[in-house]
Amino acid sequence: MRVIVVGGGVVGTMHAWQAVQRGHEVVQIEREAEARGASLRNFGQIWVSGRAGGEELDTALRARELWERIGAEVPGLGFRAIGSLTPVRNAREYAVAEAAVARPDAAARGYKLVTAEEAREINPALRGTFEAALWCERDAAVEPRTAQLHLREALKATGRYAFLPGREVREVAGPGAVRDDHGDVHRGDAVVLATGAWLSGLVRELVPELPVRRVRLQMMQTAPLGERLTTSVADADSFRYYPAYKSAALDELNAGQAQAPIAAAHKMQLLMVQRLDGGLTIGDTHEYEHPFAFDTLEDPYEHLTEVVESFLGRPLPKIRHRWAGVYAQCTDTTRVVHRQQVADGVWLVTGPGGRGMTCSPAIAETTANELGW
């Protein structure tokens, strides 16, 4: 079988990986010289802890298993089974963490409520003030800016994979075929459009009423911390954002403890992961209304800096990079992904939202199974 994958991000690359692993030939087409969207502009988190139960959690857990397996084959991914800690500072936040640990699926997530002292044993860099923390053993991390490069190197080594950058696919040219802006036609037994947040052009022509929206976020990265951050770190505002934490205790938190004004205005939470070079990737904000602003705003970065410094108990290293990114999210946010046959032999796979990096291996596996690869 010959598979054409359109899109060089992590969802597209994982579809290429699934096809090659199953013995097929793959051509992957990317409109940029390299992928430049949400697949690079993220935390690199394999984030199981906050996922909704049912399909979303099952997908995340399967993806976590696949990431670890692929990471063993491709060491350059920098797969690390680091887990996560969410420090809590008062009784209301503690109650939400306590309710999470009481969930029927808590063991599958690796949830455990730990004391502040136990949290510092797990992650000694957390020298700030907090009362306890929610530990999630199943969370992990990879290096988002280089993951696709290393995956492609491994794919090329099979002799059954080709990467064609700098080509924008403009039209479906027949069953299992697409034409790019060079005029070349690429034919296969199946075409997967994994175009991420690029929802205009060909995607709009094929699906004018696509049930997917775009979301913009801001993030930053620091100079090396100078010590290991042994886990990823979130704050209690993440309880408000992720569906796994819905409970009566969360309702009480929302009713009785308002977010900081800046955090509320920008729909913020703290997520933080250390890169292999020692720097910290920190975010994030959420903007849903179009048109998106073209500039980044400083207030959210100042808020995140204050939160991080309060957990670390020390000044944040110099901020070296700030950026904004856009990802595609199903308008029905309970859906893991939008997968649709849009033409004869052509399927569109998009809309995983902030779950793309986490869930991409399992999303691609499901596509491969459904298409009978």
Side-chain angles (χ1 to χ4, degrees):
M1 178 180 287
R2 178 180 169 90
V3 177
I4 311 299
V5 177
V6 180
V10 69
V11 173
T13 303
M14 283 299 178
H15 278 82
W17 181 269
Q18 280 288 328
V20 168
Q21 289 287 301
R22 296 172 187 228
H24 306 309
E25 178 184 346
V26 173
V27 175
Q28 186 175 16
I29 306 169
E30 165 58 39
R31 62 178 181 154
E32 303 279 358
E34 292 287 349
R36 294 174 56 83
S39 294
L40 277 72
R41 305 179 198 190
N42 67 69
F43 296 95
Q45 285 180 307
I46 315 306
W47 190 246
V48 173
S49 52
R51 302 304 172 200
E55 180 189 5
E56 184 175 340
L57 179 59
D58 291 344
T59 303
L61 288 169
R62 175 58 178 164
R64 167 65 170 76
E65 179 183 342
L66 292 171
W67 270 117
E68 187 164 12
R69 185 183 305 172
I70 298 167
E73 295 183 44
V74 187
L77 292 180
F79 177 86
R80 303 173 315 274
I82 57 175
S84 71
L85 284 168
T86 304
V88 297
R89 290 174 162 156
N90 56 50
R92 286 194 178 98
E93 294 175 2
Y94 187 94
V96 179
E98 199 171 36
V101 172
R103 290 178 60 105
D105 55 18
R109 301 170 188 270
Y111 278 164
K112 183 180 179 182
L113 194 53
V114 298
T115 66
E117 292 74 20
E118 289 170 331
R120 293 187 184 98
E121 289 178 6
I122 296 168
N123 191 339
L126 297 177
R127 300 186 184 92
T129 302
F130 54 93
E131 293 186 0
L134 179 64
W135 163 241
C136 181
E137 185 181 20
R138 297 299 293 160
D139 290 336
V142 295
E143 293 300 291
R145 297 201 178 203
T146 58
Q148 275 71 256
L149 299 177
H150 291 289
L151 285 168
R152 290 208 309 268
E153 287 175 3
L155 288 166
K156 288 176 183 176
T158 67
R160 287 180 281 108
Y161 170 84
F163 180 65
L164 302 180
R167 292 170 178 260
E168 182 175 315
V169 169
R170 293 286 180 84
E171 63 177 320
V172 173
V178 291
R179 180 179 288 107
D180 67 27
D181 58 357
H182 292 219
D184 294 331
V185 175
H186 308 274
R187 301 185 187 279
D189 299 285
V191 174
V192 174
L193 303 176
T195 56
W198 178 54
L199 303 177
S200 56
L202 177 61
V203 174
R204 181 175 295 151
E205 291 176 8
L206 292 171
V207 193
E209 300 299 325
L210 184 66
V212 175
R213 64 178 178 177
R214 300 169 79 236
V215 182
R216 182 181 186 264
L217 71 167
Q218 288 186 203
M219 297 171 63
M220 62 183 177
Q221 188 162 328
T222 73
L225 181 63
E227 62 181 317
R228 283 190 64 204
L229 189 75
T230 57
T231 71
S232 58
V233 178
D235 72 349
D237 279 341
S238 68
F239 292 157
R240 308 174 196 264
Y241 184 75
Y242 284 106
Y245 305 119
K246 290 182 179 179
S247 64
L250 179 62
D251 294 340
E252 291 182 13
L253 175 71
N254 286 328
Q257 181 177 315
Q259 280 187 287
I262 292 298
H266 297 279
K267 301 176 177 62
M268 295 180 67
Q269 60 177 335
L270 168 70
L271 296 177
M272 176 169 61
V273 184
Q274 189 172 44
R275 305 271 63 91
L276 288 177
D277 68 0
L280 304 175
T281 299
I282 300 170
D284 59 354
T285 64
H286 298 87
E287 183 179 355
Y288 301 97
E289 297 300 323
H290 293 240
F292 295 138
F294 64 86
D295 47 5
T296 58
L297 300 176
E298 195 64 22
D299 286 350
Y301 293 116
E302 292 176 354
H303 170 78
L304 289 170
T305 298
E306 291 176 3
V307 175
V308 171
E309 290 181 345
S310 73
F311 287 155
L312 296 179
R314 54 168 284 186
L316 192 66
K318 181 180 179 180
I319 298 171
R320 285 187 170 172
H321 305 284
R322 306 176 192 269
W323 68 90
V326 178
Y327 62 75
Q329 179 186 57
C330 292
T331 50
D332 177 358
T333 57
T334 65
R335 296 182 59 193
V336 173
V337 71
H338 180 78
R339 186 183 289 105
Q340 176 182 355
Q341 184 171 0
V342 295
D344 190 4
V346 182
W347 285 263
L348 173 66
V349 183
T350 187
R355 299 168 289 209
M357 198 69 179
T358 294
C359 294
S360 56
I363 289 171
E365 181 182 60
T366 299
T367 301
N369 291 340
E370 290 187 358
L371 271 57
W373 293 358

